[in-house]
């Protein structure tokens, strides 16, 4: 396996050795605590359609059952298999025992972090300034239009709302004493 030298020693590069396997040879692990909301699954599908499949499914090979068990990438696997109907998928195979597999799953999940609202607002602003409209931003970032509007609002830039159409909340009317 290829290795890369770092100031903390060599690290292996399984990313350089992907293989394509039949989807029925891959299965989920039974310990992953991660769950993804439907809108984020839709975003993941959109990401794969927009960008291609950039990250192979991380697995181990279990020779007792002759299957590859997912360590990381269950949701990518689900998109390819269930949403897009693929019959083959790209994987990388690690040689981990159960303890290493479980730790790796949590490491991969937690290392992704969470998006900070201010930074997402800045991203929406930047996309708007690059010419993306609200619907395009919502689609490609996996948001509802309302969320795009809220993020535009927190940036404090009135120009982001230029040319928006608004409905009136109420209309003022004179009411006589009789009601």
């Amino acid at each position: 396996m290829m290795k890369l030298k770092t100031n903390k020693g060599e690290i292996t590069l399984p990313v350089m050795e992907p293989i394509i396997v039949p989807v029925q040879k891959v299965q989920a692990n039974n310990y992953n605590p991660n769950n993804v909301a439907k809108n984020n699954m839709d975003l993941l599908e959109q990401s794969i359609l927009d960008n291609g499949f950039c990250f192979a499914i991380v697995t181990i090979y279990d020779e007792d059952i002759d299957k590859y068990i997912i360590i990381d990438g269950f949701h990518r696997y689900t998109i390819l298999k269930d949403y897009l109907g693929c019959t083959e998928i790209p994987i990388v195979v690690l040689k981990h025992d159960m303890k290493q597999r479980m730790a790796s799953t949590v490491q991969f999940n937690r290392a992704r972090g969470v998006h900070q609202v201010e930074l997402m607002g800045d991203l929406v602003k930047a996309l708007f300034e690059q010419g993306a409209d609200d619907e395009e931003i919502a689609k490609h970032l996996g948001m509802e239009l309302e969320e795009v509007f809220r993020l535009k609002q927190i940036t404090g830039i009135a120009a982001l709302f230029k040319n928006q159409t608004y409905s009136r909340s109420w209309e003022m009317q004179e009411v006589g004493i009789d009601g």
Side-chain angles (χ1 to χ4, degrees):
M1 180 168 290
M2 293 182 69
K3 295 185 180 195
L4 186 66
K5 292 182 182 180
T6 75
N7 61 358
K8 294 188 177 182
E10 290 187 337
I11 57 172
T12 61
L13 298 173
V15 68
M16 301 300 287
E17 298 180 11
I19 60 174
I20 304 285
V21 299
V23 72
Q24 67 268 20
K25 294 279 286 182
V26 179
Q27 74 177 44
N29 64 53
N30 60 1
Y31 54 83
N32 189 353
N34 192 11
N35 188 12
V36 173
K38 169 82 169 94
N39 65 321
N40 286 342
M41 288 296 283
D42 293 342
L43 178 60
L44 179 56
E45 178 185 25
Q46 187 64 51
S47 173
I48 291 169
L49 292 171
D50 288 351
N51 306 304
F53 198 77
C54 298
F55 305 102
I57 309 301
V58 180
T59 68
I60 60 94
Y61 179 69
D62 185 329
E63 36 183 73
D64 292 336
I65 60 173
D66 188 31
K67 290 207 175 192
Y68 297 92
I69 310 300
I70 298 171
I71 292 175
D72 182 63
F74 173 75
H75 300 101
R76 295 188 306 277
Y77 159 80
T78 300
I79 295 295
L80 286 182
K81 180 174 145 288
D82 297 340
Y83 288 51
L84 301 174
C86 292
T87 58
E88 297 178 313
I89 60 172
I91 65 169
V92 293
V93 183
L94 303 181
K95 295 183 185 324
H96 281 5
D97 63 22
M98 181 58 83
K99 180 177 142 191
Q100 291 172 304
R101 288 166 46 188
M102 293 175 87
S104 295
T105 296
V106 172
Q107 290 166 350
F108 288 131
N109 288 347
R110 295 195 68 191
R112 287 186 186 93
V114 278
H115 297 286
Q116 295 179 20
V117 173
E118 295 84 7
L119 296 177
M120 286 299 289
D122 290 342
L123 180 58
V124 166
K125 177 182 177 220
L127 287 169
F128 181 80
E129 290 170 347
Q130 292 294 317
D133 64 27
D134 295 336
E135 290 80 14
E136 189 177 7
I137 293 169
K139 177 181 178 183
H140 292 283
L141 295 186
M143 299 177 179
E144 299 293 325
L145 277 175
E146 179 184 331
E147 186 178 4
V148 173
F149 293 146
R150 281 194 317 260
L151 288 170
K152 285 168 69 173
Q153 213 171 16
I154 67 161
T155 63
I157 306 294
L160 295 179
F161 288 96
K162 187 172 88 177
N163 299 324
Q164 292 295 321
T165 56
Y166 295 94
S167 63
R168 299 177 86 164
S169 313
W170 62 78
E171 291 185 22
M172 299 292 287
Q173 294 181 0
E174 295 247 356
V175 178
I177 297 177
D178 298 345

